[in-house]
Amino acid sequence: MADPGSGGALSALELYNRVSEQGDKVRALKTEKAPKDEIDAAVKLLLALKTDYKNAAGADYKPGAPPTSDTPDTSNGLPAASDGDDFVDPWTVQTGSAKGVDYDKLIVRFGSSKIDKDLIDRIERVTGSKAHHFLRRGIFFSHRDMHQILDAVEKKKPFYLYTGRGPSSEAMHVGHLIPFIFTKWLQEVFNVPLVVQMTDDEKYLWKDLTMEKAYQYTIENAKDIIACGFDINKTFIFSDLEYMGMSSGFYKNVVQVQKHVTFNQVKGIFGFTDSDCIGKISFPAIQAAPSFSSSFPEIFNGRKDIQCLIPCAIDQDPYFRMTRDVAPRISYLKPALLHSTFFPALQGAQTKMSASDPNSSIFLTDTAKQIKNKVNKHAFSGGKDTIEEHRKYGGNCEVDVCYMYLTFFLEDDEKLEKIKQDYTSGALLTGELKKILIETLQPMITAHQERRKQLTEDLVKQFMTPRKLAFDF
Amino acid sequence: MADPGSGGALSALELYNRVSEQGDKVRALKTEKAPKDEIDAAVKLLLALKTDYKNAAGADYKPGAPPTSDTPDTSNGLPAASDGDDFVDPWTVQTGSAKGVDYDKLIVRFGSSKIDKDLIDRIERVTGSKAHHFLRRGIFFSHRDMHQILDAVEKKKPFYLYTGRGPSSEAMHVGHLIPFIFTKWLQEVFNVPLVVQMTDDEKYLWKDLTMEKAYQYTIENAKDIIACGFDINKTFIFSDLEYMGMSSGFYKNVVQVQKHVTFNQVKGIFGFTDSDCIGKISFPAIQAAPSFSSSFPEIFNGRKDIQCLIPCAIDQDPYFRMTRDVAPRISYLKPALLHSTFFPALQGAQTKMSASDPNSSIFLTDTAKQIKNKVNKHAFSGGKDTIEEHRKYGGNCEVDVCYMYLTFFLEDDEKLEKIKQDYTSGALLTGELKKILIETLQPMITAHQERRKQLTEDLVKQFMTPRKLAFDF
């Protein structure tokens, strides 16, 4: 019953060889007394590979004893991705490379499809709009069934957008905006309804957080999402904790998904253990349910056949591989997906930004001065050590965080290209590049803060009220 | 964090010895070529004991290797009861004795308290009513914290009743009425609100059943429950599938319980495995949630401190041991409980009645003729083989199903005592005893069918509408 579209999982034998190689690597690092964090990362990857192997082979890894049968049990769920030096699941993103995760490998690993020029051209044709720079620049780089969505649009069939946020703190950083900025563009060019799930139940289950606090974060985060400019007539934002008790459709879909996913599967996909609480174990069904239009009877008039398109960061894909596996078994359409790369931390592309480290990110609450200081002090540079060397050899845009940030936030393609050329040639110095980023971020954040300030509690409440939107179904 | 009130679990060493003994017994049965069902039952008990042992000792049972440490890990949940020949969990009740389960042993095993004369006297004093014959005759035989409930009543503090039903088919049998007949009496003598949970989500998850069918069974079963005579102003009946989407309190309590129970615990309590779907694994939280008054904000005006009393068959106790374990950790009151014995099948007290075997039970839809035929043909008799022997030696009321049924349904104590004496002495013949039962059941069932026929869909809907009841909180 595994989703054929989610193929590409490694066989038990391939994983066996990976574990062996990674074991050798860990031993080598220990012998050469490598830095602790390097060893830790290698060990973590080794453990992840062993878990992958166990899921595929149905038995623990034993050195010198390769799997007897080379038929992976994909019905047991898809293991977390661990490709070369990269490890990606919904809670951990790790890579050894300053350039960040190898996304081409991830596409192969996850069995998704690359967003290529043909697809981008088709999106432009179908929408009559120039592709968003996140598409043009490969920030949204992977998809599942996007052509199906475009087929539907061409046939005048409706679809809807679904994205979400886990409200783990009041403070959101600029990286958190990426899916919302892109979703807003999709909503505009396709003119479709959007549902935004705030998984406050997830955060209550995972964190040392009261339920009241998790809901409060939902409201505060919803304000930042609304401040991205979503159309109130086309957008429904909901708290799981609240909406579960307000919808005649949501819980029914949750239970349907829960009936068709075993503990073995979520163990394989998400790495849950017997010591995890039963709330975590059943949560994936709650993130799955908004993929089905019948979860929102108020919006879709009870219709079960409106397809869903989910823009999200690639680390959320495991939830939706599971969803796509279950969908046909409960007579629902598989959701389509658009995957983004990760937003790099100021310190470099090795990890995602962290809301718990104030210096790893530019927060939406930062002042102009804080932005300036953080960029100047913490942004990892691809420049050379001295001005002389930089002028002579040029900087490296591939690892420079300021340049990376500009690919996200500087919309002007020509200007960005010129910056790249000048930095690479050495004509543009690191301090100058940082200044460009600071001057891009400051007005953007200030404008966001202004829009957020304008929001009334009443408007937030309206966004969060289950209701008919400006569409007839 | 184990509930001290739920103690009495066997130590690892005691369980080790039980497994050894049961292993010997299985081997003996096989050697003497005992009947297949007898061997199967013994093997089943052996496996259950091994699971108990593993939960207590933290390792698999190994012959000849008793546990090194004799400290059971009760935080891993309480194992299903398996006492001597009896096995009791929410899905299986098995005993080797024609007298039925040994309830005194079960009290020790489950760590509950016996309903003794003192408690019955106190209930009569506090309510000013004669105790129900289910109490007088030990049909409700065990409790947890019933004195606390009576303390509250004496201090004029409110409490509420919670019971439930898993709607697995349209047909309910007379055994299903026991908790409802008793709950109705409790509601009358204490004058308190009652909530009745219909676990249609559970039945959808466990059975090969559509969600629509499970909900339909809920409505049909609700009619039989209402026909017991519940006061519409004091009773709320709800379908999980429906109420989850109508209540601002229910899901929040479900998630709170789910955060505080691990897979290890439900594995120990309910015997779930890695192959079970995540819906089953998280379901116990859904049966737990109605034990907390804040699950019904409409009834209790949002109050969290109204204590709950749960009348139920003893096989449901594992759910509520779990609930009582979690309650103080989420700042709620532990529910109190009143436990009933099992209603015997017509074929004898070895098992519970089964809704799937029409001849094992008297159904609420049976005609007078069907009742007569079933009792005459299938009711296990404690009489002797010939009239001569019966007159000489007398019958055995302890194993006679007709007599057992009369203890449930013949309210007149003197008449029942006379029947017992006459049957035991041999003055009353088996045919005569069967006739008494038939003439007791026929008018009772006919009256039930009449009351059920009077019910309108609208009345059922009223019972199932979340609303304020005739109490101020």
Side-chain angles (χ1 to χ4, degrees), chain B residues 263-454:
Chain B
F263 181 60
N264 263 326
Q265 287 173 296
V266 294
K267 208 161 70 167
I269 302 171
F270 304 103
F272 295 144
T273 71
D274 289 14
S275 308
D276 277 314
C277 73
I278 58 175
K280 286 187 184 181
I281 291 167
S282 57
F283 173 75
I286 290 167
Q287 186 154 331
S291 311
F292 308 125
S293 61
S294 54
S295 292
F296 307 98
E298 311 83 3
I299 300 174
F300 301 106
N301 198 20
R303 278 183 64 176
K304 299 180 175 187
D305 61 342
I306 317 288
Q307 203 181 356
C308 176
L309 172 63
I310 307 171
C312 64
I314 186 82
D315 61 335
Q316 298 299 301
D317 188 65
Y319 283 113
F320 301 115
R321 283 202 302 263
M322 183 198 86
T323 307
R324 287 169 55 88
D325 184 47
V326 171
R329 295 152 66 200
I330 56 176
S331 305
Y332 285 149
L333 294 168
K334 292 182 184 188
L337 286 136
L338 290 169
H339 299 123
S340 74
T341 61
F342 303 115
F343 191 79
L346 274 177
Q347 285 76 8
Q350 277 92 337
T351 56
K352 274 207 295 188
M353 278 179 140
S354 155
S356 53
D357 175 2
N359 287 324
S360 76
S361 326
I362 305 294
F363 283 87
L364 299 178
T365 47
D366 282 349
T367 61
K369 200 177 159 192
Q370 283 173 314
I371 293 170
K372 187 179 166 189
N373 285 342
K374 282 189 187 179
V375 171
N376 281 331
K377 204 165 162 189
H378 297 288
F380 182 80
S381 168
K384 296 293 176 292
D385 288 347
T386 65
I387 294 185
E388 291 67 35
E389 280 186 49
H390 190 83
R391 292 282 188 217
K392 191 169 170 190
Y393 302 109
N396 182 0
C397 283
E398 281 196 58
V399 300
D400 190 283
V401 169
C402 288
Y403 179 77
M404 288 182 198
Y405 275 32
L406 286 172
T407 65
F408 284 89
F409 299 118
L410 186 68
E411 286 185 37
D412 188 325
D413 288 338
E414 283 175 32
K415 211 167 159 187
L416 186 71
E417 183 52 34
K418 176 105 177 51
I419 290 168
K420 187 177 184 176
Q421 283 174 10
D422 289 352
Y423 196 62
T424 307
S425 73
L428 190 71
L429 296 175
T430 294
E432 291 164 337
L433 178 62
K434 288 198 168 186
K435 190 156 177 279
I436 296 172
L437 177 62
I438 290 163
E439 287 171 358
T440 304
L441 287 178
Q442 281 174 335
M444 185 186 107
I445 302 287
T446 307
H448 180 91
Q449 289 168 351
E450 279 303 315
R451 287 193 302 271
R452 193 183 194 282
K453 217 184 287 172
Q454 304 300 323

Side-chain angles (χ1 to χ4, degrees), chain B residues 32 81 289 314 469:
Chain B
E32 69 198 41
I314 186 82
L469 299 178

Side-chain angles (χ1 to χ4, degrees), chain B residues 229-249:
Chain B
F230 289 104
D231 185 340
I232 193 165
N233 297 310
K234 300 175 182 170
T235 308
F236 173 48
I237 302 176
F238 65 99
S239 137
D240 284 346
L241 289 172
E242 187 174 74
Y243 185 60
M244 191 71 83
M246 298 170 95
S247 168
S248 62

